[in-house]
Amino acid sequence: MFGLGLAGLGYASVVERNWFRLRRFDVPVLERGQRPVRILHLSDLHLTPRRSMLITWVRSLGELKPDLVVNTGDSIAHPDAVPSLLHALEPLLSRPGLFVYGSNDLYAPKPKNPARYLWRTSKNERRQHVPSLPWEELGAGMAAEGWLDMNNTTARIKVGDLDVAVAGIHDSHISRDRYDLVAGPAPADADLRLGVMHSPEPRNMSLFAADGYQLLLAGHTHGGQLCVPFYGALVTNCGIDRARVKGLSRHDGAWLHVSAGLGTSPYAPARFACFPEASLLTLVPRRA
């Protein structure tokens, strides 16, 4: 039994943690006659400088030539990780892009007992009051290449043939989300209305949907990270239900995509029955 446990731990920390996958979804959200566009959704890299396999895999995604790249946060996990992240993203930075922050872009991870997630989330548990990671350098590096900082703001962006209205919020997990700063009906003349956040909290998703945003993108959950085969995630670490911990679903009439993410905390470097992933979303016309 002890040997099986060690084998399982080795698989989770060495094999599956580095078995990166690209998931593909068609999202029927466009009007008839509009040409499909492709969104590459990245999230939760939790990058440290030595994660060479992850860096190489993310660089390979440049071959997809997406129409838009959306990064929903928790990109770094080390004070020296920004150059490594920008190197990983370099083949994608020439594409239109958007980003929001997660808590781990501001606050360095600390050792903790992961079992506590079974009875509570990590919301607002951080005792650090001053950010310890170079989040400003992180944002400036992506913005310098033309990606839009969507933390508690709105924007219009051209994506393929589409005029896209975007609203984004900072991480609700550390109470930095300010939906009031983006609130109000989404522009009716936009071809697509897109909402972006790190943590998929139902209260914020409902606000986006009520304001007319058609597609919502989030990360944070890691898909449960340690899952039970044929059962799924044990926890989501936020308010969303286990059934929607990753992948494509609906919320109050809007489409929702939650990324299971590509990384893990350096202090919990394992995944089981939950492969690290990025997603390519092809937006297509509605059927009716």
Side-chain angles (χ1 to χ4, degrees), residues 19-288:
W19 199 339
F20 311 112
R21 293 187 170 186
L22 179 69
R23 302 184 77 195
R24 298 173 184 264
F25 298 93
D26 288 346
V27 188
V29 72
L30 302 182
E31 298 291 340
R32 287 189 176 183
Q34 291 180 326
R35 295 176 59 184
V37 299
R38 300 188 303 162
I39 297 177
L40 178 63
H41 183 187
L42 305 175
S43 199
D44 297 271
L45 275 74
H46 293 274
L47 193 66
T48 56
R50 295 186 178 182
R51 292 224 52 202
S52 57
M53 293 178 67
L54 174 55
I55 291 168
T56 299
W57 192 83
V58 172
R59 286 183 62 84
S60 75
L61 297 175
E63 299 174 4
L64 297 172
K65 294 181 168 51
D67 298 294
L68 177 68
V69 184
V70 178
N71 177 2
T72 50
D74 275 4
S75 297
I76 57 175
H78 190 280
D80 299 326
V82 172
S84 298
L85 178 75
L86 295 178
H87 176 66
L89 294 177
E90 184 267 335
L92 295 165
L93 289 172
S94 62
R95 318 299 298 181
L98 314 168
F99 66 91
V100 293
Y101 295 125
S103 61
N104 287 280
D105 294 319
L106 282 73
Y107 302 108
K110 292 185 174 181
K112 61 188 80 171
N113 176 12
R116 74 197 186 294
Y117 291 139
L118 294 175
W119 61 84
R120 66 185 178 103
T121 76
S122 58
K123 181 174 173 60
N124 289 327
E125 71 173 11
R126 296 179 181 274
R127 296 175 183 172
Q128 304 175 64
H129 299 290
V130 178
S132 53
L133 289 177
W135 64 275
E136 292 175 305
E137 179 187 351
L138 168 67
M142 291 186 285
E145 300 297 331
W147 285 18
L148 300 183
D149 180 342
M150 296 306 306
N151 290 284
N152 298 327
T153 193
T154 60
R156 298 286 281 261
I157 186 172
K158 189 74 171 177
V159 179
D161 295 332
L162 302 183
D163 173 28
V164 180
V166 187
I169 53 173
H170 207 307
D171 190 4
S172 59
H173 219 59
I174 49 174
S175 298
R176 289 185 176 237
D177 55 320
R178 289 288 306 278
Y179 193 87
D180 59 296
L181 296 179
V182 304
D189 61 339
D191 296 317
L192 175 71
R193 297 174 289 280
L194 176 65
V196 183
M197 70 206 88
H198 176 65
S199 181
E201 292 294 344
R203 61 178 174 81
N204 281 327
M205 296 189 303
S206 292
L207 291 170
F208 276 116
D211 278 340
Y213 290 93
Q214 303 156 286
L215 174 61
L216 313 179
L217 303 183
H220 174 69
T221 65
H222 295 195
Q225 189 165 331
L226 300 176
C227 299
V228 177
F230 309 111
Y231 178 79
L234 296 173
V235 295
T236 68
N237 196 26
C238 65
I240 200 170
D241 52 285
R242 291 190 308 101
R244 297 186 296 165
V245 71
K246 66 178 180 179
L248 190 66
S249 63
R250 301 301 296 268
H251 185 87
D252 290 351
W255 287 99
L256 168 68
H257 180 262
V258 179
S259 172
L262 282 163
T264 66
S265 166
Y267 296 107
R271 281 180 176 258
F272 190 80
C274 185
F275 292 94
E277 66 181 41
S279 295
L280 188 66
L281 310 177
T282 301
L283 310 189
V284 298
R286 293 187 289 269
R287 297 179 180 85

